[in-house]
Amino acid sequence: MSKITRSNALVLSPNKAAKAKLIVIEGPDGAGKSTLQRGLAVKLAAEGIDVVQSREPTNGPHGTALRQAALSKRLAPEQELELLLQDRRTHVADVIAPALARGAWVILDRYYFSTIAYQGAAGLNLAMLQAVNEAFAPTPDVLLLLDLPVQESL
């Protein structure tokens, strides 16, 4: 993993007139995605930015169905994908798009990159996964990938 230096660091310079931003945080479970999301939201809000925090899968009916299924049995990759896409479509329509339209900065704990990783690892075509998501889901302005070994993240 490369170190962050002044020359390769991403600097977010928020101001009240800043246009809406979609920021996505990805990484393994326990890597600190939610902690980073909260800290970033606090910092942006202190700068006067309207901030919306959310996560995927959501607590909506499709995200809940996905988590419940994971507790009892593993679904086929195609079934998981369908639940994830339904959850994301609702999330985009009800939360992400309206927040961006009003100028808010949206910070997500997981997004379609996780779908590509997990369903791709389960054998689904990576290009298809990216295309089906990007057909309706806004592309993030910033993707923060927390890259650390699983044994360090838990």
Side-chain angles (χ1 to χ4, degrees), residues 25-75:
I25 305 170
E26 295 279 3
D29 288 343
K33 296 180 301 297
S34 299
T35 302
L36 178 59
Q37 179 190 43
R38 284 189 301 274
L40 185 55
V42 166
K43 173 67 174 158
L44 291 171
E47 296 289 331
I49 303 294
D50 178 12
V51 178
V52 172
Q53 298 179 70
S54 194
R55 69 181 182 116
E56 291 194 358
T58 71
N59 289 325
H62 304 296
T64 300
L66 185 65
R67 277 191 294 282
Q68 287 174 344
L71 294 174
S72 60
K73 61 180 166 83
R74 188 72 187 204
L75 297 174

Side-chain angles (χ1 to χ4, degrees), residues 22 54 56 88 91-101 106 108 111 138:
L22 177 58
S54 194
E56 291 194 358
R88 186 163 298 116
H91 194 210
V92 167
D94 293 351
V95 177
I96 298 170
L100 293 172
V106 178
L108 299 179
Y111 195 39

Side-chain angles (χ1 to χ4, degrees), residues 15-153:
N15 64 60
K16 292 180 183 176
K19 71 174 191 124
K21 298 270 188 236
L22 177 58
I23 301 170
V24 173
I25 305 170
E26 295 279 3
D29 288 343
K33 296 180 301 297
S34 299
T35 302
L36 178 59
Q37 179 190 43
R38 284 189 301 274
L40 185 55
V42 166
K43 173 67 174 158
L44 291 171
E47 296 289 331
I49 303 294
D50 178 12
V51 178
V52 172
Q53 298 179 70
S54 194
R55 69 181 182 116
E56 291 194 358
T58 71
N59 289 325
H62 304 296
T64 300
L66 185 65
R67 277 191 294 282
Q68 287 174 344
L71 294 174
S72 60
K73 61 180 166 83
R74 188 72 187 204
L75 297 174
E78 296 81 7
Q79 292 172 302
E80 284 184 359
L81 177 61
E82 188 53 40
L83 284 173
L84 287 161
L85 291 174
Q86 289 173 343
D87 187 55
R88 186 163 298 116
R89 281 187 189 99
T90 302
H91 194 210
V92 167
D94 293 351
V95 177
I96 298 170
L100 293 172
R102 74 170 189 264
W105 287 37
V106 178
I107 308 171
L108 299 179
D109 177 343
R110 296 202 186 274
Y111 195 39
Y112 65 80
F113 304 96
S114 288
T115 301
I116 294 168
Y118 285 102
Q119 272 50 55
L124 298 183
N125 180 278
L126 297 176
M128 178 277 295
L129 291 167
Q130 182 174 357
V132 73
N133 278 282
E134 291 181 353
F136 70 91
T139 303
D141 296 290
V142 177
L143 171 62
L144 301 172
L145 179 59
L146 305 183
D147 182 18
L148 70 154
V150 173
Q151 53 275 35
E152 288 181 29
S153 67

